[in-house]
Amino acid sequence: MGVGLYLHFPFCQQKCHYCDFNSYAGMEHLLPRYLEAIKQELFMYKVHVSVVDTVYIGGGTPSLLSINDITKLFDSIRRNFYIADWAEITMEVNPGTCTLDKLRVIRMNGVNRLSVGLQSFNNESLQRLGRIHSVEDFIRTYQMAQQAGFTNINVDLIYGLPWQTGEEWQDTLAGVVELNPEHISIYGLTIEEDTPFGCALKAGKIQKMDEDLEAEMYENAVKLLKANGYDHYEISNFAKPGKRCRHNQIYWRNEDYLGIGAGATSYLGRVRYTNVKEIPRYIEKVFGNDYATVEKEALKLEKMIGETIMLNLRLLDGFKMGDLQKRFKTDVDSLYGPTIRVLANQGLLQEEEGLVKLTVHGLLVANQVFQRFV
Ligand code: SF4
C-alpha cells in the first residue's frame, strides 16, 4: 500500500490578514532555488517511499507556479515515486491566479481534484480578510476549472468573521451551493496572535464573534449543506457521494504520509518528522545534502493510540474499537475505554457495539472531547 504525499508551496502574493500558515509574500526571488530543493528532497525520500496513493500540493498559493514549473514539479514527483493509477491528486488554487491555459496544464499533469480558496461570497468581507480576489474572480476561476475538465472541486469557506452577520453567512453558503461543487470545507475563524487580526484584536479594533452566534452559523451550515445533498463526513467537511477527500482522510485516520517542503511534516512508520519552516534555511539544509528535518518524534504506543482516536473522532463515522485493537495489537479498551465511557455518560460520545463516534452535542464541543485523548 502507498502513502499520501504532501508538497508545500509557501509563496503567496500577499499575506491574508488572518493567516498564520507557513507562507510568505515578497519571497519570489527564492522560488527557483526552492523548486530545485523540492526536487532534491523528493529524491532523498525515494529510498523510503515507493508508491503514493494521494498527492496534495498545498500552500501558500501553488497556483502562482508558472505552467513550466507545474510540469517540472510533476515530472520530479513521477521520477521518484510511482503515483498509483487510482491516485487522488489535489492542488490548491487561489482565484485570480489562474488562466484557462494554466488550469488545462494542471489537469494534463494528472491533477484530478482542485481546492479553491474562496472564504466568503461577499466582496467587502474578502477585502477585509486581505484576500487578493473578488467573488467575480472566484466564479471565473470555478467556471474555467470546469472548462479545463475538473469534475472534483472543493471550495473553502470561513465563518465567524468579527463583522459577519448570520445573513451574510447564509448568502455565502447559498452562493456556493448554487455552483454545486463536489466538496465544501467550512472553518471557523481563529484569530492568531501574530497576524494583523491578532494585533487588531489586541488593540480593541475588532472583537471575536460571540460563541453562540458562531455555533448557530455552524449548525445552519450543516443543515443547509445536508439539505443540498452533501454528506457531512468530517467536522468541517462536506462531500457529494463518492467525493470525500482521500488525502485528508489519511490524516484523520493517522496513516502514513510524506511531507515535502518548508515546514512540512511527515508521519512514517510511527515517527513524526517536521521540516525547518523558513524558506532560506530549508534550501540551505537540503543543498547541504541533509534532510530538512528539525524535529523527529518517535511516538510511544499509548500516545499514538490517543492521537489516532482523537483524529478518528473528527470523522462522523467514528471508529471501531476492534479495528484499533487489531491495528495496534494491544488492548486499546483497557487504555482508553474508561475515558470513552465517561464521555458517553456526559452525552458527548456514542458507543454502540464497539463503534465510537461524536454525538450531535459532542460535535459542537469537539475540542473539549479531543483534549481527553492527548
Ligand atoms: S492565500 Fe492562503 S496561505 Fe496565502 S496568505 Fe492567504 S490564507 Fe495564507
Side-chain angles (χ1 to χ4, degrees):
M1 211 180 80
V3 304
L5 170 67
Y6 175 79
L7 213 143
H8 192 64
F9 182 83
F11 299 86
C12 284
Q13 204 166 305
Q14 75 179 33
K15 245 343 230 185
C16 300
H17 300 158
Y18 57 90
C19 178
D20 81 330
F21 299 154
N22 189 35
S23 66
Y24 308 87
M27 296 282 230
E28 298 73 19
H29 57 287
L30 294 175
L31 184 58
R33 290 284 284 165
Y34 185 77
L35 292 177
E36 284 300 313
I38 288 271
K39 199 165 142 190
Q40 176 70 8
E41 202 193 2
L42 284 166
F43 176 71
M44 284 173 168
Y45 278 97
K46 189 181 177 146
V47 288
H48 303 286
V49 167
S50 49
V51 181
V52 297
D53 288 329
T54 64
V55 180
Y56 195 106
I57 318 279
T61 311
S63 50
L64 286 176
L65 280 164
S66 69
I67 284 178
N68 266 347
D69 285 340
I70 290 166
T71 302
K72 278 197 219 155
L73 184 66
F74 278 96
D75 284 350
S76 303
I77 297 174
R78 290 198 165 90
R79 209 168 300 130
N80 293 293
F81 309 119
Y82 174 70
I83 302 181
D85 299 339
W86 55 87
E88 173 194 85
I89 309 177
T90 306
M91 186 159 166
E92 288 180 357
V93 158
N94 255 8
T97 58
C98 269
T99 57
L100 179 57
D101 278 352
K102 195 187 274 190
L103 286 161
R104 283 195 171 124
V105 168
I106 293 172
R107 182 74 195 95
M108 267 159 42
N109 274 287
V111 176
N112 49 26
R113 183 173 185 273
L114 278 192
S115 182
V116 190
L118 166 64
Q119 319 312 350
S120 168
F121 221 82
N122 179 294
N123 279 332
E124 201 192 313
S125 282
L126 289 175
Q127 220 170 19
R128 292 173 85 169
L129 287 166
R131 302 288 301 175
I132 56 167
H133 58 86
S134 63
V135 172
E136 294 70 29
D137 291 331
F138 162 75
I139 295 174
R140 258 192 306 277
T141 301
Y142 188 87
Q143 289 169 343
M144 284 192 298
Q146 287 183 315
Q147 246 178 296
F150 286 96
T151 54
N152 192 0
I153 303 178
N154 168 59
V155 179
D156 271 346
L157 298 175
I158 303 182
Y159 65 96
L161 313 178
W163 57 86
Q164 197 173 33
T165 60
E167 205 180 12
E168 185 194 317
W169 176 232
Q170 284 296 117
D171 289 347
T172 284
L173 291 166
V176 174
V177 162
E178 203 181 316
L179 291 168
N180 204 24
E182 287 70 25
H183 195 284
I184 298 177
S185 303
I186 60 162
Y187 298 101
L189 176 74
T190 312
I191 301 184
E192 306 288 353
E193 246 180 63
D194 292 324
T195 61
F197 272 15
C199 298
L201 183 69
K202 219 168 157 190
K205 290 183 185 153
I206 56 169
Q207 282 187 330
K208 276 189 191 160
M209 175 170 279
D210 170 76
E211 273 181 24
D212 289 341
L213 180 55
E214 194 175 336
E216 199 183 308
M217 285 185 172
Y218 176 75
E219 287 173 294
N220 286 342
V222 171
K223 260 188 239 152
L224 189 136
L225 294 174
K226 278 184 173 177
N228 282 280
Y230 290 91
D231 162 30
H232 185 195
Y233 73 103
E234 194 269 348
I235 293 180
S236 308
N237 286 279
F238 302 79
K240 286 283 167 81
K243 300 292 186 180
R244 294 181 179 195
C245 176
R246 282 168 46 203
H247 182 83
N248 287 340
Q249 286 184 84
I250 290 178
Y251 301 142
W252 300 320
R253 297 211 167 98
N254 213 14
E255 291 169 351
D256 281 10
Y257 58 88
L258 169 63
I260 296 286
T265 58
S266 302
Y267 183 66
L268 295 168
R270 301 187 173 184
V271 181
R272 183 175 298 130
Y273 306 85
T274 308
N275 276 358
V276 58
K277 271 179 80 177
E278 300 79 14
I279 302 174
R281 283 192 61 212
Y282 169 77
I283 294 173
E284 202 182 302
K285 256 182 139 348
V286 174
F287 282 116
N289 262 336
D290 195 2
Y291 283 95
T293 313
V294 281
E295 266 176 59
K296 184 174 167 186
E297 187 189 10
L299 295 182
K300 295 218 170 76
L301 186 67
E302 191 172 342
K303 185 171 179 190
M304 192 163 43
I305 297 172
E307 285 188 5
T308 305
I309 291 179
M310 180 193 84
L311 290 163
N312 279 191
L313 284 174
R314 293 195 64 90
L315 293 164
L316 272 79
D317 290 343
F319 65 90
K320 283 194 186 131
M321 190 57 103
D323 289 348
L324 290 194
Q325 314 241 95
K326 257 189 245 156
R327 176 173 167 187
F328 294 107
K329 299 184 181 61
T330 193
D331 186 2
V332 176
D333 194 62
S334 70
L335 283 175
Y336 286 102
T339 308
I340 290 171
R341 256 133 255 152
V342 168
L343 291 164
N345 285 334
Q346 292 169 351
L348 301 172
L349 287 183
Q350 176 186 327
E351 191 187 13
E352 248 176 56
E353 295 175 9
L355 180 70
V356 184
K357 52 183 170 179
L358 287 172
T359 59
V360 175
H361 179 45
L363 195 61
L364 293 173
V365 289
N367 285 337
Q368 286 174 36
V369 175
F370 299 158
Q371 276 166 16
R372 307 293 295 270
F373 296 99
V374 288

